[in-house]
Amino acid sequence: MAAPVAGVSKQQAAAEGLGSNQKAVKYLGQDFETLRQQCLDSGVLFKDPEFPACPSALGYKDLGPCSPQTQGIVWKRPPELCASPQFIVGGAVRTDVCQGGLGDCWLLAAMASLTLNDGLLHRVVPRDQDFQKNYAGIFHFQFWQRGEWVEVVVDDRLPTRAGELLFVHSADGSEFWGALLEKAYAKLNGSYEALAGGSTVEGFEDFTGGISEFYDLRKPPASLYQIVRKALRAGSLLACSIDVSSAAETEAVTSQKLVKGHAYSITRIEEVDLRGRVEQLIRLRNPWGEVEWTGAWSDNAPEWNSIDPRRQAELGRRAEDGEFWMSFSDFLRQFSRLEICSLSPDSLSSEEVQKWSLVLFNGRRTRGGLAGGGQNHPGGSPPPPPAGH
């Protein structure tokens, strides 16, 4: 009788809104408001007993307790790292997310894309937290897991070496929402090392509960430019990568400074007038925050000389910050795979908005089963090649 009772209680909880973004399930039973108030009442900053600042949180192999890579690591809170730490300054932007010494570019590409949609960002990163009002060393984030939103609580002790953050950091070093979001996702997955290698679409889905699709850029549909434009306008999240033929090629940099086996976020698409003809452009971002495309339409390419300065300013040409423009035709030639995560089931290849219904089946995974499961689980859909650097 236990299983039917559990099923009924789960259905009842769903009917009461549990698992919605407004009433997320408390991961490991930890309630943010209760824990924060306890810390404020006691005057003691939060220390997370479920994900302590110790070697096991870092990893198990390359980042294991005896690994040379973990020597000299000190866990520090943001107020110990800079004079005036901020959670988010003037709204989250792509340059808040710079990759550190962890091969989770796939996750950072998803995080950077998240900043393009403020409403979506604050589903994952609640607004009610900072380092000033009611600061208690505790923060919380929400992720979509198996059909429901889950709230994950973390303390703000972050791994550092020589006074610098080891993993995700902001460009100016004083903004910490990205580093804390990465820590919460590491907790959800068991350790930081568990984030090394993955598909950007995994992050997209865990940030949105959206529906993903893949395009092989070696055989793109004729309408792909319109599909990408429609996806960006709809607030969908997009990423791309260059396939590798062997492990030795991963992180290899091409002659025009594109990184193979590496996840890039797609941040904009535009058309410009180039001497009387229309040129289609696409803007990408490398999560490293550096190493940019050097071909046509790169930051200092001669093509920009033929574009009105006001249009150039509007398109936001920048210095070495990891973000760059390229022609859409070059994009198709250089990249292998496009991933799109849509926030609703409307078809991106159709101009008509279609109405869909959603049916959620609660069940369980059984060993040897062929249906269901995520991309990293046996029996799940075949995953795209992981991006690990």
Side-chain angles (χ1 to χ4, degrees):
M1 293 296 291
V5 170
V8 169
S9 61
K10 188 174 181 67
Q11 291 173 9
Q12 182 178 348
E16 294 172 355
L18 185 63
S20 66
N21 188 247
Q22 294 73 31
K23 197 175 181 180
V25 174
K26 310 300 181 185
Y27 184 62
L28 303 178
Q30 293 178 296
D31 181 75
F32 171 72
E33 294 293 349
T34 300
L35 292 170
R36 180 167 66 171
Q37 193 58 52
Q38 288 174 354
C39 291
L40 292 172
D41 291 343
S42 65
V44 177
L45 295 178
F46 179 62
K47 291 184 178 181
D48 187 1
E50 301 292 351
F51 196 59
C54 67
S56 63
L58 293 172
Y60 43 86
K61 186 180 177 183
D62 293 340
L63 293 178
C66 298
S67 169
Q69 296 184 42
T70 62
Q71 302 307 304
I73 289 178
V74 179
W75 296 79
K76 291 188 175 184
R77 299 184 189 268
E80 300 175 279
L81 295 171
C82 64
S84 182
Q86 302 293 323
F87 187 63
I88 294 179
V89 179
V93 296
R94 302 176 297 283
T95 54
D96 294 345
V97 183
C98 298
Q99 190 174 358
L102 187 63
D104 60 349
C105 63
W106 61 276
L107 176 62
L108 272 69
M111 290 167 62
S113 295
L114 199 60
T115 66
L116 301 177
N117 186 323
D118 193 61
L120 191 58
L121 172 75
H122 289 293
R123 267 198 225 168
V124 178
V125 184
R127 299 175 187 270
D128 59 341
Q129 47 194 341
D130 56 41
F131 291 97
Q132 288 75 42
K133 184 180 179 181
N134 292 328
Y135 170 65
I138 183 171
F139 292 82
H140 66 137
F141 303 87
Q142 295 192 10
F143 304 100
W144 180 261
Q145 296 284 289
R146 301 177 185 87
E148 59 190 9
W149 286 97
V150 176
E151 178 185 70
V152 179
V153 165
V154 290
D155 65 35
D156 63 347
R157 294 177 294 175
L158 298 167
T160 71
R161 182 182 285 121
E164 301 289 337
L165 287 177
L166 198 63
F167 303 133
V168 167
H169 55 279
S170 64
D172 66 5
S174 66
E175 205 161 354
F176 290 91
W177 71 268
L180 292 166
L181 174 58
E182 181 189 45
K183 181 175 184 178
Y185 201 63
K187 177 179 177 177
L188 187 65
N189 286 275
S191 69
Y192 278 97
E193 188 170 0
L195 306 184
S199 168
T200 303
V201 80
E202 295 176 52
F204 284 167
E205 291 172 348
D206 287 349
F207 289 159
T208 67
I211 297 171
S212 299
E213 53 188 313
F214 302 90
Y215 291 91
D216 183 345
L217 298 182
R218 291 164 296 192
K219 298 177 291 184
S223 59
L224 187 62
Y225 182 85
Q226 287 72 28
I227 290 172
V228 172
R229 182 176 61 185
K230 182 179 177 183
L232 287 169
R233 288 177 176 175
S236 301
L237 308 185
L238 295 86
C240 58
S241 59
I242 303 172
D243 288 349
V244 297
S245 56
S246 68
E249 272 197 312
T250 302
E251 206 180 355
V253 181
T254 71
S255 60
Q256 292 179 304
K257 298 295 183 72
L258 294 176
V259 187
K260 294 185 177 182
H262 185 63
Y264 289 80
S265 50
I266 296 174
T267 60
R268 194 170 172 183
I269 196 164
E270 289 286 345
E271 293 181 342
V272 296
D273 183 345
L274 180 64
R275 294 187 291 273
R277 67 176 177 85
V278 173
E279 181 81 42
Q280 295 175 333
L281 303 180
I282 188 168
R283 189 176 68 186
L284 281 64
R285 185 173 189 274
N286 181 346
W288 288 350
E290 57 184 6
V291 185
E292 299 180 8
W293 162 252
T294 58
W297 298 100
S298 57
D299 284 359
N300 298 308
E303 289 80 9
W304 291 106
N305 296 332
S306 301
I307 304 300
D308 183 276
R310 290 172 296 181
R311 183 64 168 144
Q312 291 187 41
E314 182 188 335
L315 295 178
R317 287 175 61 197
R318 296 169 179 261
E320 180 77 4
D321 59 356
E323 192 165 58
F324 56 88
W325 289 94
M326 64 192 309
S327 71
F328 196 73
S329 56
D330 275 336
F331 168 72
L332 294 178
R333 280 192 289 268
Q334 298 289 336
F335 284 84
S336 311
R337 179 180 293 270
L338 168 66
E339 305 172 7
I340 299 177
C341 182
S342 302
L343 307 187
S344 70
D346 296 334
S347 169
L348 290 174
S349 57
S350 170
E351 290 302 320
E352 296 180 4
V353 175
Q354 302 179 27
K355 297 198 177 295
W356 290 60
S357 59
L358 173 67
V359 180
L360 177 63
F361 292 93
N362 292 313
R364 60 191 179 92
R365 182 181 293 121
T366 57
R367 186 177 296 276
L370 296 179
Q375 294 176 0
N376 285 339
H377 294 282
S381 303
H389 294 272

